[in-house]
Amino acid sequence: MDAINGADTAWVLLSSALVMLMTPALGFFYGGLVRQKNALSTIMHSFFMLGFVSVIWALFGYSLAFSPTIGGFIGGLSWVGLNGVGVEPNADYAATIPHLAFMVFQMMFAVITPALISGAFAERKRFKAFVIFSFFWLLLVYVPVAHWVWGVGGWIRNMGALDFAGGTVVHITSGVSALVCALVLGKRTGYGSEPMEPHNATLSILGTGMLWFGWFGFNAGSTLGSGSLAASAFVNTHLGASMGAITWMTASWIRHRRPSVLGASAGAVAGLVGITPAAGFVTPLAAIIIGFLAGIGCFVAVDVLVRGRVDDSLDVFGVHGVGGIIGAIATGIFATKSINEFGNNGLLYGNPGQLVTQIIAVVVVAAYAALITWVLLTIINATVGIRVTAEEEARGLDASQHGESAYQI
């Protein structure tokens, strides 16, 4: 049996807690951006995922994602109910920490991913439909893609695609699915003609700060150890976020003649998304460049291309979908084995093939997520309905879906 390293175990457990914090942080980030009558229901979308997805993951999600492969496309059922997932290390994934520590770290990634999608349909989706959609989306989109990219024997992993901490698995799947959700549900009543300003920008900034804090676990924790690579991923994460915030705010300043606070917040998240797939493969200078590319690319996607045309309520596609795509492709450009010997060199280090591999992975995962999401929404809409009534939407989802309100004033 491989020896358990106490420092590695402590770091992964701490990182798991940091990633767990990101989900309620996302709730605050999203909750502050909607109108007051929908604040609690929007926060609930994230908070509910903590319990719901965790149980699904323990029962069969983890087994399907990471147990021995079936043809490179899905795991088996040998680890159902965490059978065989104990305190001994699993050398295939992390030889110096308990298998349970790896499982719970991956659990927190699974928790936040469907929660990310919720920002696209905020203020108009039935909670029952959200629960059903999240269940099937997790099993039919997230779990297979996680196996393809990260599972031993997964076909995208075998192809050589690099995704250090979830640019493809988490952000492209959720971002592209969010766009499909926004298109299928349609625009909010009054979109474009009625004010729909954020009701509490302060809450969103708090959520951003918590997300930034938790993201150190998201990326640096993906080293699954406490050594030098964790330090590299930690620094790259911070630099990517910092440059993303500066870039988006500056672009907004130029376009709208004011330095937007919420723009800086969105830019930080865009930078974090962009650096996620590359965090453990690139130099700090490359992290700054990726943060810039994500900041400007996501700003253009949100402010110029999507907003006003599609009601992606909280810009999930523009930030997570576009940011994930930029980060995944940039990994194929800037990756270097001098940072991570278990990675690969990218285009700038003499390996253009890595860029091609990254693009293939992006296209396949985006197309798969879009197709399955559309099918799920079509079926759910035909059976239980996905959108609240016009009267319920006017009252607000806090009252119509939960019978509660965010503020008692």
Side-chain angles (χ1 to χ4, degrees):
M1 185 181 76
D2 293 301
I4 291 176
N5 182 289
D8 290 349
T9 301
W11 174 236
V12 171
L13 291 177
L14 174 60
S15 296
S16 301
L18 288 170
V19 181
M20 174 268 169
L21 182 67
M22 292 174 67
T23 300
L26 180 72
F28 289 145
F29 176 65
Y30 280 173
L33 294 173
V34 298
R35 290 167 289 180
Q36 182 174 318
K37 63 183 179 180
N38 297 307
L40 197 63
S41 63
T42 301
I43 293 172
M44 180 60 168
H45 286 149
S46 294
F47 189 76
F48 180 72
M49 289 295 98
L50 274 174
F52 188 61
V53 173
S54 295
V55 172
I56 296 170
W57 191 251
L59 290 177
F60 40 83
Y62 179 67
S63 184
L64 291 170
F66 287 99
S67 69
T69 191
I70 299 175
F73 290 96
I74 196 70
L77 297 175
S78 57
W79 294 345
V80 164
L82 302 184
N83 175 56
V85 181
V87 297
E88 300 83 9
N90 183 299
D92 286 338
Y93 293 110
T96 63
I97 63 173
H99 193 177
L100 277 171
F102 176 80
M103 182 282 300
V104 78
F105 181 68
Q106 291 295 335
M107 175 189 286
M108 299 311 170
F109 281 69
V111 164
I112 198 172
T113 307
L116 290 170
I117 304 172
S118 68
F121 50 69
E123 304 194 294
R124 62 197 188 280
K125 189 171 186 177
R126 298 181 66 197
F127 188 73
K128 180 191 293 186
F130 165 69
V131 173
I132 296 170
F133 171 78
S134 297
F135 176 82
F136 286 104
W137 188 91
L138 182 79
L139 294 181
L140 296 178
V141 178
Y142 182 84
V143 163
V145 173
H147 185 78
W148 299 351
V149 177
W150 288 335
V152 172
W155 73 271
I156 291 181
R157 174 171 170 162
N158 286 349
M159 186 175 65
L162 300 175
D163 183 6
F164 191 74
T168 304
V169 176
V170 174
H171 297 292
I172 293 178
T173 60
S174 62
V176 171
S177 296
L179 179 62
V180 175
C181 286
L183 290 168
V184 172
L185 267 78
K187 298 176 181 179
R188 288 167 288 179
T189 303
Y191 179 76
S193 60
E194 298 178 7
M196 297 183 177
E197 297 300 315
H199 87 283
N200 192 334
T202 307
L203 189 65
S204 291
I205 297 299
L206 172 65
T208 304
M210 293 171 62
L211 280 168
W212 194 329
F213 177 69
W215 225 293
F216 291 121
F218 201 82
N219 287 356
S222 292
T223 60
L224 301 174
S226 59
S228 58
L229 186 59
S232 178
F234 193 107
V235 169
N236 287 343
T237 298
H238 187 65
L239 291 175
S242 300
M243 193 64 198
I246 294 169
T247 301
W248 188 307
M249 187 203 72
T250 303
S252 176
W253 199 344
I254 294 170
R255 181 172 170 82
H256 301 293
R257 306 302 184 204
R258 62 185 187 274
S260 169
V261 177
L262 287 177
S265 172
V269 176
L272 287 163
V273 172
I275 195 58
T276 289
F281 299 121
V282 303
T283 66
L285 178 59
I288 293 174
I289 297 172
I290 292 171
F292 170 79
L293 294 174
I296 194 66
C298 293
F299 173 80
V300 170
V302 168
D303 205 70
V304 179
L305 301 178
V306 175
R307 192 171 288 167
R309 295 179 174 87
V310 179
D311 188 8
D312 179 358
S313 307
L314 307 181
D315 303 322
V316 184
F317 171 72
V319 174
H320 295 276
V322 173
I325 290 169
I326 289 172
I329 293 174
T331 303
I333 298 172
F334 296 105
T336 169
K337 295 188 76 171
S338 66
I339 296 296
N340 187 342
E341 63 178 320
F342 298 105
N344 209 341
N345 289 322
L347 175 66
L348 290 184
Y349 296 88
N351 182 21
Q354 187 62 47
L355 178 59
V356 175
T357 299
Q358 298 297 115
I359 293 172
I360 292 172
V362 165
V363 171
V364 170
V365 169
Y368 177 77
L371 175 63
I372 300 301
T373 299
W374 180 81
V375 171
L376 283 176
L377 290 172
T378 301
I379 294 172
I380 294 170
N381 192 42
T383 52
V384 302
I386 57 176
R387 184 160 178 162
V388 298
T389 65
E391 186 274 333
E392 289 173 330
E393 187 176 345
R395 286 175 59 205
L397 272 60
D398 290 5
S400 68
Q401 300 296 294
H402 304 288
E404 299 169 302
S405 61
Y407 307 98
Q408 298 293 339
I409 301 176

